Structure formats: C-alpha cells, structure tokens
C-alpha cells in the first residue's frame, strides 16, 4: 500500500510505503495500491513515467464523491482509456494503465 498518510490498520503481510518509494516498490512487488483524490489523478499519472508492464501492477483507488451510487448524477465519472467510467459502478479502484494518458 502506497501512502504518505496511513489511516487504516492493514495486516502485517501488507507493506506500507511512502509515495516516493513507488517506483522501487513496483520493481519487486506483485502489485501496488494507492489512493489518489480524483482531482490529482492526472498529475499522479504524469508524475510517474512507468512502463506499460509496470502500470498494470498499480491499482489506484480514486477518492471521489459517490453521491447517488447508481450512475444518475455522474459526479464520480473518471476518464479512462476505455471511455468514461464511474467510480460507483466500475470502481472506485482502477488500474493505472487504464488511467494513463486518458
């Protein structure tokens, strides 16, 4: 789990690392998970220039309001390589590869 502000207790099998350690963690881990506020997703995806094989190992939990929970309002819409997706239906966890350059 990649975070600079751990707020939940995770089992000991899950390592908690700082965001500055993301690139290093991708090299040795099976997968990485990170929570990113929706307004910072594009900045995050541009900050980390990762290979496509590395980007599929990173799951991003997009922190966005989920108001209606049934696609009626569109507040939780996220642009992906596969078109618009909704955190309330399709997420809120997305593969970094799907969000990169969306």
């Amino acid at each position: 789990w990649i975070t600079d502000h751990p707020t939940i207790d995770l089992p000991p099998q899950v390592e908690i690392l700082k965001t500055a350690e993301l690139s290093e963690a991708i090299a040795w881990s099976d997968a990485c998970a990170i929570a990113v506020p929706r307004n910072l997703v594009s900045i995050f995806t541009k900050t980390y220039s990762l290979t496509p094989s590395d980007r599929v190992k990173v799951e991003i939990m997009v922190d966005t309001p989920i108001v209606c929970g049934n696609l009626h309002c569109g507040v939780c819409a996220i642009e992906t390589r596969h078109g618009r997706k909704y955190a309330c239906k399709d997420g809120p966890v997305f593969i970094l590869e799907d969000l990169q350059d969306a």
Side-chain angles (χ1 to χ4, degrees):
W1 184 255
I2 309 292
T3 182
D4 291 330
H5 308 287
T7 58
I8 59 173
D9 290 327
L10 296 171
Q13 300 89 331
V14 177
E15 284 196 55
I16 300 174
L17 303 172
K18 302 278 186 198
T19 54
E21 300 173 281
L22 176 63
S23 296
E24 180 184 325
I26 290 171
W28 59 262
S29 68
D30 295 327
C32 292
I34 187 167
V36 178
R38 186 176 74 180
N39 63 328
L40 299 179
V41 168
S42 63
I43 293 169
F44 178 85
T45 60
K46 291 175 181 142
T47 300
Y48 294 95
S49 301
L50 304 171
T51 66
S53 61
D54 286 344
R55 291 193 302 250
V56 298
K57 291 174 62 174
V58 179
E59 294 182 341
I60 294 184
M61 200 278 303
V62 179
D63 186 6
T64 186
I66 298 178
V67 179
C68 68
N70 57 16
L71 303 173
H72 290 297
C73 70
V75 168
C76 65
I78 308 291
E79 292 301 325
T80 73
R81 288 178 177 243
H82 308 289
R84 182 171 285 175
K85 301 291 182 180
Y86 299 88
C88 69
K89 177 183 178 247
D90 306 304
V93 177
F94 298 91
I95 303 296
L96 176 59
E97 175 68 5
D98 292 340
L99 300 178
Q100 193 82 32
D101 303 324

